[in-house]
């Protein structure tokens, strides 16, 4: 299996992958919107035998801390693996590759909305525990699902405040 940046010629396969892995078309539409807005900071695919088996996309997130200026980081969404090849480490490899690419570029943090049972293995922790909230869910109705990872813990540890995804996400809400 090879993990590499997504290319224009992958877009059709990614569309089918997203519509297969998720129950509806929302995530496929989100990816198209993020690309159109040039908010696809990093889009990776996992390919084996010429078939796109998984994808992950990172987009910009603005974090307004309780004190001080806004800090710009990343949001991980969506992450998807073809159902036939799930539980073989492809999703994990995509997450690790994406975070590994972004860390040396100076991205300070990554947030996501997902199952903590899956994402804690990569170091993500519930954001509400550090008083960090998603602007679409200020009362934390998603519980521990909104998660945070510092990508530069020696410079930036836990941050409190309010995080906002790119406007393309508002169509999902
Ligand atoms: C979530 C997803 C990307 C994981 O990819 P994957 O390649 O199957 O996962 P990996 O092989 O890297 O990891 C497998 C492990 O994750 C666990 N896992 C997979 N999906 C999980 C989920 N939704 N919640 C909790 N744990 C999950 C498996 O039980 C397995 O655990 P183990 O290592 O203890 O045996 C994939 O299942 C998928 O595409 N699901 C549908 C789309 C989706 O829900 N995307 C995530 C949105 S936040």
């Amino acid at each position: 299996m090879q993990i590499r940046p997504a290319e224009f010629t992958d877009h059709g396969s990614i569309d089918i992958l997203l519509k297969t892995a998720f129950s509806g078309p929302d995530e496929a539409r989100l990816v198209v919107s993020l690309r159109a807005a040039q908010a696809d900071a990093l889009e990776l695919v996992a390919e084996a035998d010429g078939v796109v088996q998984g994808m992950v996309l990172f987009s910009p997130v603005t974090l307004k801390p309780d004190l001080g200026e806004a800090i710009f980081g990343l949001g991980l969404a969506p992450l998807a693996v073809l159902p036939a090849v799930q539980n073989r480490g492809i999703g994990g490899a995509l997450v690790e590759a994406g975070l590994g690419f972004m860390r040396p570029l100076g991205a300070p943090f990554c947030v996501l909305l997902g199952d903590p049972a899956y994402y804690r293995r990569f170091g993500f922790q519930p954001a509400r525990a550090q008083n960090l909230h998603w602007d679409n869910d200020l009362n934390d109705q998603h519980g521990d699902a909104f998660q945070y990872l510092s990508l530069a813990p020696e410079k930036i540890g836990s941050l409190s405040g309010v995080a906002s995804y790119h406007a393309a996400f508002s169509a999902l809400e």
Side-chain angles (χ1 to χ4, degrees):
M1 182 188 67
Q2 180 195 15
I3 293 187
R4 58 169 175 79
E7 296 170 8
F8 180 76
T9 49
D10 297 316
H11 290 180
S13 303
I14 291 170
D15 194 64
I16 293 168
L17 160 65
L18 289 168
K19 288 172 178 164
T20 308
F22 289 96
S23 53
D26 286 357
E27 286 75 11
R29 287 186 187 144
L30 171 66
V31 166
V32 170
S33 300
L34 288 169
R35 287 186 197 130
Q38 297 187 321
D40 49 340
L42 178 65
E43 183 177 1
L44 297 176
V45 293
E47 178 188 339
D49 302 324
V51 177
V52 172
Q53 301 194 328
M55 72 81 69
V56 67
L57 192 148
F58 295 82
S59 61
V61 162
T62 307
L63 195 158
K64 293 194 179 121
D66 294 335
L67 291 172
E69 308 243 320
I71 300 171
F72 302 99
L74 298 166
L76 187 166
L79 168 68
V81 173
L82 283 175
V85 291
Q86 289 178 1
N87 293 310
R88 296 185 191 175
I90 297 172
L94 282 162
V95 173
E96 297 285 13
L99 296 176
F101 185 87
M102 285 301 190
R103 268 194 189 95
L105 294 182
F109 68 85
C110 184
V111 294
L112 59 81
L113 192 68
D115 190 333
Y118 184 64
Y119 288 103
R120 73 166 61 100
R121 70 194 66 198
F122 310 109
F124 285 89
Q125 295 184 336
R128 63 176 174 168
Q130 64 192 57
N131 208 17
L132 173 65
H133 310 281
W134 174 27
D135 67 350
N136 191 43
D137 184 21
L138 291 173
N139 295 320
D140 300 322
Q141 292 184 13
H142 288 81
D144 286 343
F146 186 59
Q147 296 162 71
Y148 172 91
L149 173 70
S150 173
L151 298 178
E154 67 289 353
K155 292 186 194 153
I156 295 180
S158 299
L159 288 170
S160 58
V162 175
S164 305
Y165 286 95
H166 187 273
F169 279 80
S170 55
L172 271 185
E173 293 161 8

